[in-house]
């Protein structure tokens, strides 16, 4: 027992639960399938002990797997870094306001340093400390899959070439035929062919999907932004254009050059620049520039929100069967929550699609005192727009019709 305790720290076993989520399960399954089949196919196609090329191919394949898993688990378990509890800026009067570069994660109810997004594939947030590891994983996974896909194709080609009988009207494949030139130490039968074909599909799909995510991440990194900050900047421009204020919004963390921005995330030591709280900013800005802009956007959001009354109960299901086919099939593709609705409740909607809406539920005084906030998606058919009494409760002119 003492020997086991020396290897496994029981106080850290709760971290193993991060693996018990559909994201890591799928990601690690894809890595395991592609790596295992590629290793087996390498033995069949290019036996590493025969030639130098075979040895190099095999070592590179193992290297991809190790690097991918190293960056994946670092991104998962190192985490993004969190703001200490009860921390607040010493020179800012609003107690609830932290530097806008930090963001609250609704999944773990913590304030994340330089939060980019919550990633289900690592079951953790991507932020200050693990952004480089996460982006490296996004680069290495497609490269490894490209190498694996090449091995799959070459294995199928070399193994099937002598087994294909060309006729005038048909092509027949004899999977039981014996190769005349090369005698692999492992058989390439129907099961091996099916596994290789399946792994090839996974490798190609991963290359495309993860490769696109890598280019998206590099786009924001070279501008020293996060995905959240890019969205804030876009809304800032929309706000300025909507109200014609004439002000100029300067993104505070863009240091003016792609290389300078790149070095804020990627360093030789592996530790990103900064302490996760204070950051180098543009000379026209200060540490609170993004915070102030976000407060303006929140005020604008309240002004432009539209009040709705619930006319139909909703149980909070992601894809409700009883709300129509369009509502069922066009549910928002997001992990944002759905909220239960009861007939007679009031909702302030801030955005929406043709079939769904997103908003905040009007709460009781007791819920407000307890700090409760209920917001999320709900079917549009479950609510109707409130009609204001022009004598007593007129709607603001700036409100946006959703």
């Amino acid at each position: 027992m003492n020997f086991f305790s020396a290897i496994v720290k029981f106080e850290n076993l709760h971290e193993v639960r991060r693996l018990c989520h559909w994201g890591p399960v799928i990601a690690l399954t894809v890595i395991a399938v592609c790596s295992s089949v590629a290793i087996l196919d390498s033995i069949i196609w290019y036996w590493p002990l025969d030639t130098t090329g075979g040895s190099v191919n095999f070592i590179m394949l193992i290297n991809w797997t190790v690097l991918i898993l190293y960056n994946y688990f670092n991104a998962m378990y190192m985490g993004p870094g969190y703001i200490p509890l009860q921390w607040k800026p010493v020179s800012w009067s609003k107690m609830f306001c932290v530097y806008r570069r930090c963001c609250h994660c609704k999944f773990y109810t913590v304030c994340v340093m330089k939060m980019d997004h919550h990633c289900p594939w690592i079951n953790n947030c991507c932020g200050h400390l693990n952004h480089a590891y996460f982006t490296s994983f996004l680069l290495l996974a497609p490269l490894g899959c490209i190498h694996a896909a090449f091995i799959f194709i070459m294995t199928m080609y070399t193994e099937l070439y002598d087994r294909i009988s060309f006729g005038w009207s048909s092509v027949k494949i004899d999977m039981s035929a014996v190769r005349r030139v090369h005698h692999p130490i492992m058989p390439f039968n129907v099961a091996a062919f099916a596994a290789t074909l399946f792994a090839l599909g996974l490798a190609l799909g991963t290359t495309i999907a993860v490769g696109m995510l890598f280019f998206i991440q590099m786009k924001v990194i070279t501008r020293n932004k996060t995905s959240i900050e890019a969205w804030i900047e876009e809304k800032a421009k929309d706000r300025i254009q909507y109200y014609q204020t004439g002000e100029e919004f300067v993104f505070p963390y863009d240091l003016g050059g792609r290389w300078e921005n790149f070095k804020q995330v990627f360093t030789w030591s592996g530790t990103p620049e900064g302490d996760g709280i204070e950051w180098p900013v543009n000379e026209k800005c200060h540490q609170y520039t993004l915070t102030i802009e976000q407060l303006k956007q929140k005020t604008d959001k309240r002004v432009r929100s539209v009040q709705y009354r619930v006319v139909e109960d909703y149980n909070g299901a992601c894809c409700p069967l009883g709300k129509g086919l369009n509502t069922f099939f066009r549910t928002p593709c997001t992990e944002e929550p759905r909220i239960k609705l009861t007939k007679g409740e009031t909702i302030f909607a801030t955005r929406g699609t043709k079939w769904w809406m997103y908003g905040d539920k009007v709460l009781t005084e007791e819920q407000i005192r307890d700090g409760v906030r209920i917001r999320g998606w709900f079917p549009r058919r479950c609510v109707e727009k409130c009609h204001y009494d022009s004598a007593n409760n007129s709607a603001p002119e700036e409100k946006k019709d959703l």
Side-chain angles (χ1 to χ4, degrees):
M1 184 66 180
N2 293 332
F3 174 76
F4 184 75
S5 300
I7 299 175
V8 181
K9 301 294 184 181
F10 286 97
E11 63 268 21
N12 296 328
L13 283 179
H14 68 279
E15 289 291 342
V16 179
R17 291 183 298 177
R18 287 197 185 277
L19 296 172
C20 303
H21 182 266
W22 63 265
V25 169
I26 294 176
L28 292 175
T29 299
V30 172
I31 295 172
V33 170
C34 291
S35 299
S36 301
V37 177
I39 291 173
L40 295 176
D41 280 2
S42 291
I43 295 174
I44 296 173
W45 166 58
Y46 209 172
W47 176 237
L49 299 182
D50 283 349
T51 62
T52 302
S55 300
V56 172
N57 172 72
F58 196 79
I59 292 172
M60 285 183 60
L61 186 60
I62 299 298
N63 184 61
W64 290 126
T65 304
V66 172
L67 289 176
I68 288 170
L69 290 176
Y70 172 79
N71 285 279
Y72 179 82
F73 284 115
N74 267 307
M76 176 186 290
Y77 286 112
M78 177 172 288
Y82 308 103
I83 296 295
L85 295 175
Q86 307 302 323
W87 180 92
K88 62 180 181 292
V90 294
S91 60
W92 188 253
S93 60
K94 295 183 180 294
M95 298 292 292
F96 65 91
C97 188
V98 183
Y99 295 131
R100 195 56 239 172
R101 191 143 237 213
C102 303
C103 187
H104 181 78
C105 175
K106 62 186 176 184
F107 294 95
Y108 294 111
T109 62
V110 290
C111 195
V112 176
M113 293 179 178
K114 194 186 172 185
M115 180 174 175
D116 185 85
H117 67 289
H118 180 86
C119 177
W121 303 111
I122 62 173
N123 195 21
N124 206 340
C125 293
C126 176
H128 176 55
L129 295 180
N130 65 350
H131 203 173
Y133 289 113
F134 179 77
T135 308
S136 298
F137 165 74
L138 296 183
L139 170 63
L140 293 168
L143 293 178
C145 284
I146 291 172
H147 185 191
F150 177 76
I151 293 174
F152 299 149
I153 294 172
M154 293 305 299
T155 301
M156 289 188 291
Y157 172 77
T158 56
E159 290 299 317
L160 297 180
Y161 182 79
D162 289 335
R163 304 182 187 191
I164 298 178
S165 174
F166 292 94
W168 289 104
S169 59
S170 64
V171 176
K172 299 179 181 179
I173 300 178
D174 180 10
M175 295 300 296
S176 63
V178 180
R179 291 291 308 275
R180 294 192 298 270
V181 179
H182 178 60
H183 300 278
I185 64 172
M186 296 176 59
F188 190 78
N189 51 25
V190 174
F193 173 74
T196 301
L197 197 60
F198 177 72
L200 176 62
L202 284 181
L204 294 177
T206 302
T207 300
I208 296 172
V210 180
M212 291 176 62
L213 293 178
F214 169 73
F215 283 109
I216 292 173
Q217 283 298 309
M218 288 305 299
K219 182 178 179 180
V220 296
I221 287 175
T222 53
R223 298 177 182 178
N224 203 12
K225 299 178 184 177
T226 66
S227 300
I228 294 175
E229 291 166 353
W231 175 236
I232 293 174
E233 183 182 30
E234 183 178 342
K235 290 193 295 182
K237 295 176 180 178
D238 289 342
R239 179 185 63 81
I240 293 172
Q241 183 178 7
Y242 183 85
Y243 290 108
Q244 296 294 314
T245 60
E247 59 183 300
E248 178 188 5
F249 176 75
V250 178
F251 183 74
Y253 305 116
D254 189 347
L255 302 182
R258 293 181 182 271
W259 178 242
E260 291 298 321
N261 293 333
F262 180 84
K263 291 191 296 183
Q264 292 295 305
V265 176
F266 292 93
T267 61
W268 289 112
S269 65
T271 303
E273 295 287 343
D275 59 1
I277 297 178
E278 295 192 9
W279 310 89
V281 295
N282 187 287
E283 59 183 10
K284 298 181 180 179
C285 307
H286 51 74
Q287 293 290 336
Y288 300 100
T289 297
L290 211 61
T291 298
I292 295 172
E293 173 57 34
Q294 186 73 346
L295 291 174
K296 291 179 181 179
Q297 292 179 14
K298 287 183 178 296
T299 301
D300 178 55
K301 185 178 179 180
R302 286 191 292 268
V303 170
R304 297 167 66 178
S305 62
V306 179
Q307 185 174 348
Y308 286 82
R309 181 171 59 88
V310 179
V311 295
E312 188 176 326
D313 292 343
Y314 166 56
N315 62 3
C318 180
C319 299
L321 290 172
K323 304 302 180 182
L325 291 177
N326 283 313
T327 302
F328 178 83
F329 286 110
R330 300 189 184 185
T331 183
C333 297
T334 173
E335 288 195 347
E336 291 177 315
R338 276 64 170 169
I339 56 175
K340 294 183 179 180
L341 300 180
T342 303
K343 189 175 181 179
E345 291 180 327
T346 302
I347 300 285
F348 279 99
T350 56
R351 53 191 166 103
T353 65
K354 185 176 181 180
W355 306 102
W356 288 80
M357 302 188 74
Y358 185 93
D360 290 79
K361 185 182 293 188
V362 176
L363 306 175
T364 63
E365 293 184 1
E366 182 179 355
Q367 289 175 315
I368 295 175
R369 284 197 302 269
D370 294 338
V372 176
R373 186 177 185 182
I374 303 176
R375 60 177 176 174
W377 291 93
F378 52 89
R380 183 180 284 267
R381 61 173 288 174
C382 295
V383 297
E384 68 176 14
K385 191 174 180 180
C386 292
H387 300 285
Y388 293 91
D389 182 353
S390 58
N392 300 316
N393 193 21
S394 59
E397 293 180 359
E398 296 87 357
K399 283 192 176 178
K400 183 179 179 181
D401 187 3
L402 296 180

